[in-house]
Amino acid sequence: HDRIARPAMFAVALMALQHENKIDGIYEKLIEERDPLVRIGATGMLALGYVGTSDNKAVSKLLNIAATDLSSDVRRLAVIGLSFVLLKKPKSALKLMTMLSTSYNPMVRHAVALSLGILGANSYDVAFFSLIEKLIEDKVDYVRQAAGISLGLVSQLGTIHLNPSLEELRALLQT
């Protein structure tokens, strides 16, 4: 049942937190399953197992999942997982998110928007603003909503005096 399987898979993912190479065998078995909920667990396991490590192997696997998985939910979690793996290298992650933001899949763009908030939270890094601005103007409502959340996370420490374009973004969000 979906209401049981989803939390169970997230529990499995949380148990893998910072266990890096110890989870590879289990991950390989779970990612091959047909059930997308199991693949969600495997993706979360990979992301949390390598959180903050910038491990190339984990990044490569997550990018492959984000590009090829049949389930949009699995793809979305793979993109969010990239932000956790690359948490200590936000500039590298920003390059990947820029490429992924052009995806035809709105769930991937939604994940990119959320990832920008995760990566740039509390930083007021202007490099994130241009990509967030593009996503705020997306045609899909939940992508715009996630971009608005990310804008709030990134701009927590800023003011309109530091970045005048924030006033325009605020006006856009109020419409």
Side-chain angles (χ1 to χ4, degrees), residues 5 34 46 114:
R34 293 182 65 205
L46 181 64
L114 289 175

Side-chain angles (χ1 to χ4, degrees), residues 30-37 39:
L30 293 178
I31 200 66
E32 296 299 323
E33 288 290 323
R34 293 182 65 205
D35 185 1
L37 290 175
R39 293 196 313 273

Side-chain angles (χ1 to χ4, degrees), residues 128-137 165 168-169 172:
F128 289 92
F129 283 114
S130 63
L131 188 51
I132 291 173
E133 282 181 63
K134 289 177 189 171
L135 292 169
I136 281 180
E137 296 172 357
S165 68
E168 295 169 20
L169 287 172
L172 180 65

Side-chain angles (χ1 to χ4, degrees), residues 16-161:
L17 187 63
Q18 294 183 327
H19 280 86
E20 297 180 28
N21 296 326
K22 296 176 188 172
I23 60 151
D24 288 342
I26 299 168
Y27 162 79
E28 294 298 336
K29 289 178 185 174
L30 293 178
I31 200 66
E32 296 299 323
E33 288 290 323
R34 293 182 65 205
D35 185 1
L37 290 175
V38 176
R39 293 196 313 273
I40 284 172
T43 304
M45 177 185 254
L46 181 64
L48 293 178
Y50 288 91
V51 68
T53 63
S54 303
D55 184 80
N56 286 333
K57 182 175 67 170
V59 169
S60 176
K61 287 179 181 179
L62 288 167
L63 278 172
N64 185 44
I65 294 167
T68 62
D69 200 276
L70 299 175
S71 168
S72 291
D73 286 334
V74 178
R75 285 179 173 208
R76 177 177 53 189
L77 187 61
V79 174
I80 293 170
L82 280 167
S83 68
F84 283 109
V85 172
L86 294 170
L87 200 57
K88 294 181 181 175
K89 292 190 177 179
K91 296 295 183 191
S92 299
L94 185 60
K95 290 177 187 173
L96 285 176
M97 295 303 152
T98 302
M99 289 186 293
L100 291 169
S101 71
T102 61
S103 173
Y104 69 92
N105 188 328
M107 294 292 253
V108 171
R109 294 193 311 272
H110 175 261
V112 167
L114 289 175
S115 295
L116 292 171
I118 292 167
L119 291 163
N122 234 6
S123 69
Y124 199 71
D125 189 342
V126 293
F128 289 92
F129 283 114
S130 63
L131 188 51
I132 291 173
E133 282 181 63
K134 289 177 189 171
L135 292 169
I136 281 180
E137 296 172 357
D138 198 276
K139 62 186 174 202
V140 179
D141 58 348
Y142 56 86
V143 175
R144 291 191 308 264
Q145 181 183 31
I149 292 168
S150 290
L151 179 64
L153 289 168
V154 173
S155 63
Q156 287 179 49
L157 297 177
T159 65
I160 294 170
H161 301 293

